[in-house]
Amino acid sequence: MDYIVVGEVLKPQGIKGELKVKPLTDDSARFRKLRTVYFDDVPYRIVSCRIDSFVYIKLEGVDSRNAAEYFVGKQVNIDRIHAVSPKEGSYFIVDLIGCDIRNENGVSLGIIRDIDNFGSADVITAEAENRKIFRFPFLNRVVVDVDVDAKTVSVAEKELMAVCVYED
C-alpha cells in the first residue's frame, strides 16, 4: 500500500491510551476526517480526535498508557487514496525524496535524501555523486521546476550555490 506520513507520535497522553501526535501536515484539522491510520502496515481505527497545537488521537483497542507506549516515535500514516491533494506548487515530501536535482543544463547535482521544516522554509538535504551531503532551502528563486512524475527537481545553479551549505 502507498502511504503518506501525516504525523509522529510523541508520547502517550493520560492513562486511557490516547496518543499525542506532532502533525506533519499543513492543516491539522484534516485529522478530524480520518477514520483509519496505519502503523507498520497495520490499520487502526480512530475512536476520537482532538486538536490544539498538537493532535490527540484515541485508537480502537489501545486502552492504557502501557499499550500507547508502543507507538512512541512511530509515524502516523494514511493511505494515499485518502490524502488531500497538495495545492498548486506544493508537494508531498515522500514524492520529492529520491528526486534527481538538476541544473539548467540538465546535469545531475545530487539526489534528495530528506526534507525538514524549520519554520521559514523547507530545507532539502541532498547527496551528490561523490557522497557529499549538501543542504539548501526550498525557495522559488532556487527551485525552478519540480516534476514529480519524472522524479526531477530543476534548480538555478547560481542561486543554489549562493545558499547551499555542505556538510563536513
Side-chain angles (χ1 to χ4, degrees):
M1 199 174 300
D2 196 14
Y3 298 115
I4 300 290
V5 177
V6 295
E8 179 183 348
V9 177
L10 298 175
K11 68 180 194 109
Q13 182 68 28
I15 61 171
K16 295 183 179 179
E18 191 175 47
L19 303 173
K20 180 178 183 179
V21 176
K22 173 184 168 187
L24 300 175
T25 178
D26 291 342
D27 183 7
S28 297
R30 294 178 182 163
F31 274 85
R32 287 191 179 105
K33 296 179 182 175
L34 296 177
R35 298 292 170 247
T36 304
V37 292
Y38 296 83
F39 294 94
D40 302 322
D41 291 327
V42 177
Y44 289 86
R45 192 169 89 67
I46 295 177
V47 176
S48 66
C49 174
R50 61 187 176 90
I51 300 170
D52 56 29
S53 56
F54 293 95
V55 175
Y56 300 88
I57 57 174
K58 175 75 175 76
L59 304 175
E60 184 174 67
V62 180
D63 298 318
S64 70
R65 185 175 188 88
N66 287 344
E69 286 286 346
Y70 167 78
F71 298 93
V72 173
K74 293 190 180 286
Q75 294 180 330
V76 180
N77 298 287
I78 61 169
D79 188 338
R80 184 181 280 269
I81 294 169
H82 296 108
V84 175
S85 296
K87 299 173 189 167
E88 183 71 30
S90 296
Y91 309 93
F92 289 125
I93 289 173
V94 70
D95 292 338
L96 295 176
I97 292 177
C99 283
D100 187 21
I101 301 169
R102 297 177 183 228
N103 68 10
E104 302 91 337
N105 300 320
V107 176
S108 178
L109 303 174
I111 303 293
I112 296 176
R113 295 295 182 217
D114 198 8
I115 300 176
D116 294 298
N117 185 289
F118 297 111
S120 60
D122 290 334
V123 176
I124 295 175
T125 299
E127 182 178 352
E129 260 187 46
N130 63 2
R131 316 252 319 138
K132 192 139 184 137
I133 302 296
F134 62 99
R135 291 181 177 82
F136 62 95
F138 194 111
L139 301 173
N140 290 338
R141 67 186 172 113
V142 177
V143 178
V144 178
D145 185 54
V146 175
D147 187 341
V148 173
D149 295 328
K151 298 292 279 178
T152 60
V153 172
S154 300
V155 297
E157 191 168 12
K158 183 178 176 184
E159 294 292 333
L160 175 68
M161 292 304 129
V163 297
C164 186
V165 177
Y166 287 91
E167 198 173 271
D168 290 333

